[in-house]
């Protein structure tokens, strides 16, 4: 938000520099991000002075140039070659000397002493457009004979010189979204910053604009007001002005708006914008000739109703959009954007002024629904001042009469169905001292609260336990005693609270294993293997959850107040965000991708509407790969990634965490089963103790088609919370090196083609729990000689006894048990 230094000083009398004001404002929570110089004419006419043409003769080598000598109040007149046809001796003119920079036709021109056709020229006698004062270039500007020679042109033309402070306004500070709001804080800081004793004299007070001159001229044009939805519109104030003349605004008004980056439009609209930036109260002006029925109705229209806004865009209204309407049609999206056909034009002679207080939630919902962000919606959705509507409209009416003439032709009609009472807070001295860490002078505390507009009851010196405070209507964020304490502290100054010499701390307990360290182990491994970590929005599109039955839309957590229609639910998984990231990169010619993401997913239990019990969150880990398995090179293949690449990364992650396929460790053994669903065309499910903790595989073409991804994508997603609970408590485990040798035996098993190696592996560990240390697959063969529907697995078995060397008899006995188990369960034959 931009604040004009000159404008600010209309409400607070201070000679402090812009830099000092910026320091004080930043200290009280209104961080000043930049200070910029402003001139109502670009460059401020620096270096341009009033001069008098002493002589003017024809240039000897040109029929259109003149040789002039110009007195600019210095010891020696300037010799200037001038091409203007109207230059003559005795004229008072605007002169730019050597070194002066002019801004002409959007170009920067710095003048130098030069020669023009052999004659010295030491500057320029300026035309109107060369100074930025108009568009006329027919000749030089001829000034009044009374103009004083040598006077800076900026003074003569009344060029506004200002400083503009850009404030990074936080969302809770709606009260400071105006010049008067900033002036209020500034006065409080100047009066109380770091004071140990109250300031007895010369307390700075803000000076509000006087509206005592407001009076109704007649009642010739009264327009009625009806509020049909008092929950969305809590107060609506209006009045009518007639006989106005729409024209260009006066210079002072245009300068104020230009300084803060608001484009002047006409005197009526400029006044409403001026009030918005002065008081923080949005206003809107309607052409009364376009209000059919002479009634203004605040209501909602059916969803899908067409409405054209001021930017000439036809929009479809939502069911919750509050509209300002005539008896026959909508005229304005309340608190957000005006309509094309009801605004002020050059032909307007009477206006209806609106000053209202709208429910912040309704305004924010409408603004996000239509993707609009205006100065009005910015203030309404944060909470405007519900007690300022009448004062603001009176101030606007007086300004309109000043700049556009006319009469006030109706009373101020104020429809306020259910008045809002002020909030009251009790401030405890004990809490104040405890939270600040310092005992402040009680009268200083009261002065601070008074300066920022809070009404205080109770004598701070009476020994009572605290103060009863009535919060002003513009302090919408102050509802508790801690909010009041924050207000006191930011005005007093955070840096004025001394740091205690002792150090106070509390013991903390860190759960083992440390979740952050475990996560970093996985992140480091994946990043080292070419993966890039992604972070996607937790908000996503509900339409994604109609793509597959695995993630039913009924389990989506819906957003009551969505930012936009494309971000209306919380994500159930990390899949769709990952695919959005993939297509973003694929569209930019990056086809070989490896992504991983740690993120939270949000689920609603089926049939549950309880706002607490019906919802839960889970932390998930996702991995995805697509494209080539290795960078393209002349001596390497260009094969694409496959199922086994992703499975290898998944297995490596499990191994690093000490979980997965380790035998004999309860609660840490992961079982894989065939996936049956619509997310993957070929995949597997991972489970522990019959609880599904993840799934992986080749994504189905139906899902990839929705994202316009044409290449295969292998994807896995896991319940990170469940995996974390399986990680061993000890970060490092030490084990004695084996004292006895391992023995390897191989079997060639003839099996049905439906039998998977994982099933053989699981059965082997179940059959021989003591001696079997490792099961490996080193060859697979399928062919006509084996018979239809058959395949051969060459499987290795590593055996070891921790207490002695195995004998051939013990080894054979173990292998026999395994062969019998394979035969009984899989009808396997040893080849």
């Amino acid at each position: 938000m931009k604040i004009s230094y000159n404008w600010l000083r209309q409400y607070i009398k201070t000679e402090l520099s812009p830099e000092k004001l910026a320091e004080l404002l930043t200290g009280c929570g209104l961080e000043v991000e930049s200070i910029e110089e402003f001139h109502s004419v670009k460059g401020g006419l620096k270096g341009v002075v009033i001069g008098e043409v002493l002589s003017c003769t024809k240039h000897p080598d040109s029929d259109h140039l003149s040789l002039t000598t110009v007195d600019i109040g210095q010891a020696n007149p300037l010799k200037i070659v001038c091409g203007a046809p109207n230059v003559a001796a005795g004229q008072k003119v605007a002169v730019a000397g050597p070194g002066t920079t002019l801004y002409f036709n959007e170009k920067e021109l710095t003048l130098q002493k030069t020669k023009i056709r052999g004659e010295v020229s030491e500057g320029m006698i300026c035309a109107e457009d060369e100074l930025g004062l108009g568009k006329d270039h027919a000749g030089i500007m001829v000034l009044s004979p009374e103009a004083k020679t040598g006077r800076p042109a900026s003074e003569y033309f009344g060029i506004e010189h200002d400083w503009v402070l850009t404030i990074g306004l936080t969302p809770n500070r709606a009260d400071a979204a105006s010049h008067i709001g900033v002036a209020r804080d500034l006065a409080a800081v100047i009066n109380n910053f770091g004071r140990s004793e109250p300031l007895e004299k010369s307390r700075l007070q803000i000076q509000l604009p006087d509206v005592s001159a407001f009076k109704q001229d007649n009642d010739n044009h009264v327009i009625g007001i009806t509020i049909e939805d008092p929950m969305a519109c809590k107060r609506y104030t209006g009045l009518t002005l007639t006989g106005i003349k729409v024209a260009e605004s006066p210079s002072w008004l245009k300068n104020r708006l230009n300084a803060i980056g608001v484009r002047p439009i006409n005197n009526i609209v400029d006044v409403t914008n001026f009030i918005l930036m002065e008081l923080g109260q949005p206003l809107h002006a309607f052409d009364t000739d376009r209000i059919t029925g002479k009634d203004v109705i605040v209501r909602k229209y059916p969803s899908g109703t067409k409405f054209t806004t001021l930017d000439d865009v036809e929009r479809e209204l939502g069911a919750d959009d509050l509209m300002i309407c005539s008896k026959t049609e909508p005229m304005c999206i309340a608190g957000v954007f005006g309509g094309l056909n009801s605004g002020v034009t050059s032909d307007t002679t009477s206006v209806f002024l609106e000053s209202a207080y709208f429910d912040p939630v309704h305004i924010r919902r409408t603004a996000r629904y239509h993707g609009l962000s205006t100065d009005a919606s910015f203030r309404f959705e944060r909470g405007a001042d519900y007690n300022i509507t009448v004062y603001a409209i009176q101030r606007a009416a007086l300004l309109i009469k000043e700049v556009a003439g006319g009469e006030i032709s109706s009373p101020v009609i104020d429809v306020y169905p259910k008045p809002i009472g002020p909030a009251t807070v009790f401030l405890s001295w004990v809490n104040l001292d405890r939270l600040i860490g310092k005992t402040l002078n009680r009268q200083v505390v009261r002065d601070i609260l008074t300066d920022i507009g809070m009404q205080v009851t109770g004598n701070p010196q009476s020994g009572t336990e605290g103060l009863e405070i009535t919060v002003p209507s513009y302090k919408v964020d102050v509802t508790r005693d801690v909010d009041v304490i924050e207000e006191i502290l930011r005005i007093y100054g955070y840096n004025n609270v001394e740091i205690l010499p002792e150090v106070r701390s509390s013991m903390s307990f860190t759960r083992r294993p440390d979740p952050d360290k475990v996560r970093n182990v996985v992140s480091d491994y994946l990043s080292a293997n070419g993966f890039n970590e992604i972070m996607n929005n937790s908000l996503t599109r509900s339409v994604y959850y109609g793509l597959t039955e695995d993630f039913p839309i009924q389990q989506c957590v819906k957003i009551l107040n969505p930012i936009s229609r494309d971000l209306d639910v919380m994500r159930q998984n990390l899949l769709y965000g990952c695919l959005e990231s993939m297509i973003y990169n694929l569209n930019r010619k990056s086809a070989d991708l490896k992504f991983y993401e740690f993120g939270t997913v949000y689920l609603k239990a089926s049939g549950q509407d309880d706002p607490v019990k019906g919802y839960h969150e889970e932390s998930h880990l996702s991995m995805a790969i697509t494209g080539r398995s290795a960078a393209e090179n002349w001596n390497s293949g260009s094969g694409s990634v496959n199922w086994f690449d992703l499975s290898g990364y998944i297995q490596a992650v499990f191994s690093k965490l000490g979980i997965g396929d380790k035998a004999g460790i309860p609660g840490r053994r992961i079982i894989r089963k065939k996936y049956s669903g619509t997310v993957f065309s070929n995949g597997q499910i991972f489970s522990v103790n019959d609880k599904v903790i993840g799934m992986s595989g080749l994504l189905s073409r139906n899902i990839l088609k929705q994202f316009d991804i044409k290449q295969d994508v292998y994807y896995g997603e896991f319940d990170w919370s469940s995996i974390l609970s399986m990680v061993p408590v000890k970060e490092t485990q030490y084990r004695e090196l084996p004292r006895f040798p391992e023995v390897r035996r191989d079997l060639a098993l003839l099996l049905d083609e439906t039998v998977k190696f994982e099933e053989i592996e699981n059965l082997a560990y179940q059959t021989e729990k003591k001696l079997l240390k490792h099961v490996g697959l080193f060859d697979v063969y399928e062919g006509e000689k084996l018979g239809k529907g058959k395949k051969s697995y060459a499987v290795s078995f590593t055996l070891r006894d921790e207490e002695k060397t195995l004998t051939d008899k013990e080894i054979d006995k173990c292998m026999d048990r395994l062969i019998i188990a394979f035969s009984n369960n899989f009808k396997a034959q040893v080849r």
Side-chain angles (χ1 to χ4, degrees):
M1 186 186 71
K2 295 184 182 295
I3 294 294
S4 160
Y5 176 71
N6 291 346
W7 195 348
L8 192 66
R9 292 171 67 205
Q10 288 184 239
Y11 316 114
I12 178 172
K13 301 303 180 183
T14 177
E15 298 302 321
L16 294 176
S17 67
E19 291 77 14
K20 184 59 178 179
L21 291 188
E23 179 186 333
L24 293 175
L25 290 173
T26 298
C28 74
L30 299 177
E31 182 181 2
V32 176
E33 298 173 341
S34 66
I35 304 176
E36 298 175 1
E37 192 174 14
F38 168 81
H39 296 95
S40 55
V41 171
K42 190 171 183 179
L45 300 186
K46 289 182 179 179
V48 181
V49 296
I50 306 302
E52 181 179 1
V53 181
L54 300 178
S55 66
C56 178
T57 60
K58 288 293 182 180
H59 193 293
D61 291 335
S62 174
D63 57 358
H64 68 278
L65 296 177
S66 300
L67 302 180
T68 66
T69 56
V70 183
D71 178 16
I72 60 170
Q74 297 180 357
N76 298 315
L78 297 180
K79 295 179 179 181
I80 297 177
V81 177
C82 181
N86 63 330
V87 65
Q91 292 174 335
K92 293 292 181 71
V93 293
V95 181
T100 301
T101 299
L102 298 177
Y103 300 87
F104 177 53
N105 288 338
E106 300 183 356
K107 294 180 181 179
E108 186 176 302
L109 175 65
T110 300
L111 302 180
Q112 302 291 339
K113 182 178 179 180
T114 186
K115 282 188 175 183
I116 300 177
R117 295 198 178 184
E119 298 292 335
V120 174
S121 183
E122 298 176 302
M124 177 189 292
I125 302 175
C126 301
E128 182 179 288
D129 62 336
E130 292 166 340
L131 296 176
L133 298 173
K135 298 180 180 180
D136 186 9
H137 195 68
I140 61 170
M141 291 185 73
V142 180
L143 309 180
S144 168
E146 285 75 30
K148 184 178 179 181
T149 300
R151 183 183 183 188
S154 59
E155 293 181 9
Y156 179 82
F157 291 109
I159 303 302
E160 176 91 0
H161 178 220
D162 199 357
W163 296 92
V164 179
L165 286 69
T166 301
I167 294 177
L169 198 65
T170 53
N172 64 314
R173 293 303 311 279
D175 63 297
S178 65
H179 281 76
I180 283 181
V182 173
R184 184 189 300 114
D185 269 14
L186 191 57
V189 172
I190 293 173
N191 288 337
N192 303 287
F193 186 77
R195 292 196 179 278
S196 58
E197 296 294 333
L199 182 66
E200 299 296 340
K201 298 179 181 179
S202 303
R203 295 189 65 83
L204 203 57
Q205 302 287 338
I206 63 169
Q207 299 174 356
L208 296 177
D210 184 18
V211 296
S212 60
F214 176 87
K215 66 175 183 177
Q216 180 184 346
D217 296 309
N218 56 64
D219 56 2
N220 296 339
H221 207 322
V222 178
I223 292 180
I225 298 172
T226 303
I227 300 177
E228 292 188 2
D229 192 337
M231 292 299 295
C233 177
K234 301 181 183 295
R235 188 174 190 178
Y236 195 95
T237 307
L239 65 75
T240 307
L241 290 102
T242 59
I244 62 169
K245 180 176 177 56
V246 177
E248 184 179 356
S249 295
S251 296
W252 71 265
L253 181 52
K254 291 192 293 183
N255 289 341
R256 288 286 178 261
L257 297 179
N258 279 322
I260 59 173
V262 177
R263 180 176 62 89
I265 298 173
N266 59 54
N267 49 3
I268 305 301
V269 175
D270 291 350
V271 165
T272 62
N273 286 332
F274 180 87
I275 298 297
L276 172 69
M277 298 302 175
E278 179 185 58
L279 302 176
Q281 173 61 28
L283 303 179
H284 193 74
F286 299 90
D287 187 330
T288 59
D289 291 340
R290 303 189 182 193
I291 303 177
T292 57
K294 303 308 175 187
D295 277 308
V296 169
I297 304 168
V298 186
R299 53 165 295 194
K300 293 177 181 177
Y301 263 74
S303 178
T305 300
K306 305 291 185 182
F307 179 72
T308 304
T309 46
L310 275 173
D311 54 357
D312 203 16
V313 174
E314 185 178 74
R315 306 177 189 273
E316 283 193 7
L317 301 181
D320 284 333
D321 292 347
L322 188 69
M323 304 298 295
I324 310 301
C325 314
S326 66
K327 281 194 172 181
T328 59
E329 60 183 352
M331 300 187 296
C332 171
I333 302 178
V336 180
F337 213 11
L340 181 65
N341 299 319
S342 62
V344 175
T345 68
S346 58
D347 298 326
T348 300
T349 58
S350 60
V351 293
F352 173 79
L353 278 184
E354 164 197 286
S355 178
Y357 175 71
F358 300 113
D359 175 55
V361 174
H362 275 81
I363 300 303
R364 183 177 185 276
R365 185 180 297 146
T366 294
R368 296 301 175 270
Y369 178 80
H370 292 289
L372 295 170
S373 180
T374 62
D375 287 328
S377 67
F378 177 87
R379 287 156 178 81
F380 276 130
E381 64 189 35
R382 284 161 175 77
D385 182 357
Y386 50 83
N387 278 340
I388 205 175
T389 59
V390 173
Y391 174 78
I393 209 168
Q394 290 175 340
R395 168 76 168 147
L398 290 174
L399 283 177
I400 288 175
K401 289 183 69 175
E402 177 184 334
V403 302
E407 297 179 331
I408 299 173
S409 297
S410 78
V412 174
I413 301 176
D414 185 25
V415 181
Y416 199 2
K418 188 177 180 181
I420 304 171
T424 57
V425 177
F426 179 76
L427 174 63
S428 163
W429 297 126
V430 173
N431 278 350
L432 177 69
D433 296 341
R434 179 177 61 85
L435 292 178
I436 290 181
K438 178 180 180 178
T439 300
L440 302 185
N441 182 290
R442 302 316 191 201
Q443 186 58 47
V444 170
V445 171
R446 182 172 186 138
D447 289 345
I448 289 174
L449 295 174
T450 302
D451 283 344
I452 59 178
M454 297 191 182
Q455 296 181 13
V456 182
T457 57
N459 186 346
Q461 310 300 337
S462 65
T464 57
E465 295 181 356
L467 297 173
E468 192 74 30
I469 298 167
T470 302
V471 181
S473 52
Y474 49 79
K475 288 282 185 185
V476 294
D477 63 317
V478 178
T479 57
R480 306 164 298 166
D481 63 341
V482 290
D483 300 326
V484 176
I485 294 171
E486 181 185 0
E487 293 289 295
I488 294 169
L489 186 53
R490 68 179 184 81
I491 299 298
Y492 178 76
Y494 292 98
N495 292 336
N496 292 316
V497 178
E498 298 81 3
I499 299 175
L500 298 176
E502 67 269 19
V503 176
R504 300 177 181 179
S505 64
S506 58
M507 301 296 291
S508 62
F509 171 77
T510 303
R511 183 168 63 89
R512 305 288 294 274
D514 187 332
D516 291 333
K517 288 185 178 180
V518 175
R519 175 170 168 170
N520 287 339
V521 166
V522 175
S523 296
D524 290 345
Y525 168 75
L526 292 174
S527 297
N529 281 274
F531 280 77
N532 289 299
E533 184 173 9
I534 59 175
M535 289 183 287
N536 288 298
N537 199 339
S538 296
L539 301 176
T540 187
R541 304 174 63 187
S542 58
V543 294
Y544 288 155
Y545 295 94
L547 302 179
T548 172
E549 296 177 357
D550 290 51
F551 308 114
I553 194 169
Q554 292 79 9
Q555 290 187 355
C556 285
V557 179
K558 296 182 179 179
I559 304 299
L560 295 178
N561 201 17
I563 294 175
S564 72
R565 283 172 283 187
D566 287 337
L567 299 172
D568 57 342
V569 296
M570 305 292 283
R571 62 185 178 188
Q572 281 191 47
N573 55 54
L574 306 181
L575 170 61
Y576 301 126
C578 177
L579 293 179
E580 287 178 343
S581 298
M582 278 201 164
I583 190 60
Y584 181 87
N585 283 271
L586 290 171
N587 287 340
R588 286 155 181 80
K589 307 304 179 184
S590 181
D592 305 326
L593 303 170
K594 293 180 179 179
F595 288 155
Y596 74 95
E597 180 178 11
F598 288 95
T600 304
V601 301
Y602 308 85
L603 300 166
K604 177 182 177 183
S606 182
Q608 269 281 12
D609 291 322
D610 188 291
V612 178
K613 297 180 181 178
Y615 302 94
H616 70 278
E617 302 177 9
E618 296 176 359
S619 293
H620 278 203
L621 164 65
S622 68
M623 289 177 269
I625 57 175
T626 187
R628 289 189 295 260
S629 57
E632 190 174 19
N633 200 299
W634 68 271
N635 65 350
S636 64
S638 58
S640 299
V641 294
N642 56 42
W643 168 280
F644 300 104
D645 292 322
L646 180 62
S647 294
Y649 292 125
I650 293 172
Q651 185 59 45
V653 168
F654 289 163
S655 297
K656 278 195 166 291
L657 298 180
I659 60 177
D661 298 330
K662 290 180 179 286
I665 306 178
R668 285 162 55 192
R669 176 152 180 75
I670 297 175
I671 305 299
R672 308 185 191 202
K673 298 179 182 178
K674 182 176 176 60
Y675 167 83
S676 60
T678 55
V679 174
F680 301 108
S681 57
N682 185 19
Q684 57 185 349
I685 291 175
F686 300 79
S687 61
V688 175
N689 297 331
D690 296 327
K691 177 187 176 183
V692 175
I693 65 164
M695 57 183 180
S696 71
L698 173 63
L699 289 173
S700 72
R701 295 308 311 169
N702 287 337
I703 289 181
L704 295 179
K705 184 178 179 181
Q706 300 300 320
F707 292 85
D708 200 25
I709 297 176
K710 297 179 174 60
Q711 60 192 54
D712 288 344
V713 176
Y714 294 89
Y715 178 82
E717 184 167 337
F718 300 88
D719 182 347
W720 178 247
S721 301
S722 296
I723 290 176
L724 202 58
S725 67
M726 297 162 56
V727 177
V729 173
K730 293 182 180 179
E731 294 181 359
T732 304
Q733 293 184 338
Y734 300 94
R735 186 179 300 166
E736 182 183 8
L737 290 173
R739 291 183 295 166
F740 302 100
E742 293 179 342
V743 177
R744 170 171 165 163
R745 291 290 186 269
D746 298 338
L747 290 177
L749 301 174
L750 183 62
L751 303 156
D752 290 340
E753 63 179 2
T754 57
V755 178
K756 295 182 177 180
F757 168 71
E758 184 183 12
E759 296 175 272
I760 295 173
E761 184 183 26
N762 292 337
L763 181 59
Y765 283 125
Q766 293 172 11
T767 304
E768 182 50 65
K769 298 179 180 179
K770 180 181 179 182
L771 303 181
L772 185 60
K773 302 303 179 184
H774 180 71
V775 181
L777 177 67
F778 61 90
D779 189 35
V780 179
Y781 174 72
E782 293 178 309
E784 295 179 359
K785 294 180 179 180
L786 297 180
K788 187 177 181 181
K790 295 292 184 179
K791 64 182 176 182
S792 175
Y793 275 171
V795 185
S796 66
F797 302 89
T798 302
L799 308 173
R800 186 180 68 243
D801 194 323
E802 304 293 346
E803 299 176 354
K804 63 182 188 323
T805 301
L806 289 171
T807 64
D808 289 340
K809 185 176 181 180
E810 290 172 326
I811 295 170
D812 292 341
K813 186 176 180 181
C814 175
M815 294 304 298
D816 288 341
R817 286 199 301 271
L818 290 173
I819 292 170
I820 292 171
F822 295 148
S823 177
N824 291 340
N825 287 274
F826 305 128
K827 297 181 180 179
Q829 299 177 29
V830 178
R831 296 179 65 198

